[in-house]
Amino acid sequence: TQLLEQSPQFLSIQEGENLTVYCNSSSVFSSLQWYRQEPGEGPVLLVTVVTGGEVKKLKRLTFQFGDARKDSSLHITAAQPGDTGLYLCAGGGSGSRLTFGEGTQLTVNP
Amino acid sequence: GAGVSQTPSNKVTEKGKYVELRCDPISGHTALYWYRQSLGQGPEFLIYFQGTGAADDSGLPNDRFFAVRPEGSVSTLKIQRTERGDSAVYLCASSFGGPSGYTFGSGTRLTVV
């Protein structure tokens, strides 16, 4: 069974601070996706990474896929209250199903 | 429509009753997925359709759960003899398949009392 562990589980920071969320597994994934979910809504895709060592930037968000395709990180620069939400990583295997981590609940205080 | 539509948005049912949850995917998306999300957890895979057929139903917890997609578009998740432990948000997603990301609906919050 493929498992993804996210850390930290909860993160509360002040506006303007930087943060990093980690997603780790002992399994190799063919792709890794990051989603953001707000209360009462479904997860919204932020990025997909497929190549070991790949780095993608989305405004103030930087996503990295580990060289061995077992881990990933999400770094947010100068966090804003609008960044508040549940961040989920999800690994893709041989089929189309995704294995999700338990999520990191981020709160950015003004 | 432009997004994935799930109905109802909320469903309260009594233990032992039968429920149906509906998902209307994005037009043209051939792949459709059902996930279940408990409070404080990430989504857990239930079943995946490619077209009309269930390509992977290994996530269905037991034989009380069943899903169909008869015309390759709308899907219905059916739960028989509901139990309190079935209470969760049931999420539907669709995609073109492959490693591209999903588009999720807003989910159906099921509460079994």
Side-chain angles (χ1 to χ4, degrees):
Chain A
T1 302
Q2 295 180 311
L3 294 174
L4 278 169
E5 294 185 353
Q6 283 189 240
S7 61
Q9 189 176 357
F10 297 96
L11 189 55
S12 181
I13 62 172
Q14 294 300 120
E15 183 175 2
E17 293 183 356
N18 302 331
L19 67 113
T20 302
V21 175
Y22 299 93
C23 177
N24 295 294
S25 176
S26 58
S27 302
V28 174
F29 290 97
S30 59
S31 66
L32 200 294
Q33 299 171 13
W34 285 90
Y35 291 81
R36 178 167 161 261
Q37 186 177 23
E38 297 193 42
E41 299 295 326
V44 175
L45 179 68
L46 297 174
V47 77
T48 300
V49 286
V50 296
T51 304
E54 183 175 3
V55 177
K56 282 192 175 179
K57 292 191 175 183
L58 184 66
K59 296 183 179 178
R60 294 177 294 101
L61 279 61
T62 302
F63 305 86
Q64 184 164 8
F65 200 12
D67 291 341
R69 291 186 288 132
K70 293 182 179 181
D71 55 86
S72 181
S73 64
L74 159 60
H75 182 79
I76 301 179
T77 303
Q80 299 176 0
D83 295 327
T84 293
L86 179 67
Y87 288 81
L88 294 158
C89 65
S94 57
S96 288
R97 63 186 290 178
L98 293 178
T99 298
F100 281 84
E102 292 190 348
T104 294
Q105 181 61 53
L106 172 66
T107 303
V108 182
N109 302 298
Chain B
V4 177
S5 176
Q6 290 189 247
T7 55
S9 56
N10 282 283
K11 176 71 176 177
V12 180
T13 190
E14 292 182 347
K15 179 175 177 295
K17 298 289 188 182
Y18 168 84
V19 296
E20 289 189 352
L21 312 179
R22 176 189 167 104
C23 173
D24 198 342
I26 290 174
S27 178
H29 278 185
T30 56
L32 185 146
Y33 312 83
W34 284 98
Y35 283 76
R36 178 169 69 175
Q37 187 174 25
S38 300
L39 191 63
Q41 303 291 320
E44 174 189 23
F45 172 78
L46 295 176
I47 187 170
Y48 152 55
F49 288 90
Q50 183 61 45
T52 61
D56 183 355
D57 65 357
S58 61
L60 295 177
N62 52 60
D63 61 6
R64 295 187 298 106
F65 289 74
F66 189 70
V68 295
R69 194 186 186 199
E71 298 179 354
S73 178
V74 171
S75 176
T76 304
L77 178 66
K78 308 180 181 191
I79 310 174
Q80 299 177 324
R81 304 184 304 279
T82 52
E83 300 178 355
R84 293 195 178 87
D86 298 335
S87 296
V89 175
Y90 288 81
L91 293 165
C92 175
S94 69
S95 78
F96 288 113
S100 60
Y102 300 168
T103 300
F104 279 91
S106 295
T108 294
R109 179 175 297 279
L110 176 67
T111 304
V112 182
V113 297

